[in-house]
Amino acid sequence: LKKIWDKYGDKILFIYRDFPIPSVHPEAENAAEAANCAFQQGKFWEYHDQLFARQDELSASTYSQIAETLGLDISAFNRCLNTKAYSKEIEADIKAGQDLGVIGTPTFFINGQMFPGVLSFDFMDKVITLLLR
């Protein structure tokens, strides 16, 4: 995705939605909540990248460690996380995904067409190039 952003910049609109699947990863909902709390402080993508890098060790202490590493206001972050400030938004994202037929992650929509699974840069590049003509 970073290569796509670097190449296309503001020519494309990228919208990220949460779709945690607890049956696959028991910490998925907590991780989504933590990433949204980082978003509140302008560090969503940095936090997101750290979650994926450390996905085999996700826990409350990992969420706090990542927040500290990124220089987040820990007090505000913990308050956000402990109150599940984004739970309704995450639930809405899940419902919207289910309504569109999403069953797993990642799933991409490009101009309304669903592409489930990991997409290569070359594939995404070709699709976007065609659509931008």
Side-chain angles (χ1 to χ4, degrees):
L1 290 178
K2 288 178 184 181
K3 287 171 67 176
I4 292 293
W5 285 325
D6 289 344
K7 181 170 181 176
Y8 293 101
D10 62 358
K11 293 179 184 174
I12 60 172
L13 172 63
F14 182 82
I15 300 171
Y16 183 93
R17 301 282 187 216
D18 293 300
F19 199 82
I21 306 172
S23 62
V24 175
H25 201 306
E27 281 293 316
E29 289 180 18
N30 293 329
E33 190 74 44
N36 280 288
C37 291
F39 166 78
Q40 196 174 60
Q41 296 186 44
K43 297 279 188 170
F44 174 80
W45 286 111
E46 296 91 332
Y47 199 94
H48 171 276
D49 292 348
Q50 288 297 311
L51 285 175
F52 274 88
R54 298 177 66 179
Q55 63 185 297
D56 292 333
E57 57 184 280
L58 297 182
S59 67
S61 64
T62 303
Y63 305 137
S64 292
Q65 289 169 5
I66 294 170
E68 286 178 19
T69 300
L70 295 176
L72 299 182
D73 176 332
I74 298 303
S75 200
F77 177 83
N78 287 335
R79 188 169 41 257
C80 176
L81 195 56
N82 292 335
T83 62
K84 297 196 177 284
Y86 287 91
S87 63
K88 286 187 184 350
E89 181 179 317
I90 293 167
E91 288 172 19
D93 284 354
I94 294 167
K95 174 144 180 25
Q98 290 170 334
D99 290 348
L100 291 169
V102 173
I103 58 170
T105 62
T107 298
F108 296 91
F109 286 85
I110 303 174
N111 268 22
Q113 176 69 41
M114 184 167 65
F115 296 92
V118 176
L119 304 179
S120 71
F121 169 79
D122 290 336
F123 177 80
M124 291 181 85
D125 186 40
K126 285 177 187 170
V127 170
I128 293 169
T129 299
L130 287 171
L131 292 170
L132 290 176
R133 287 186 181 173

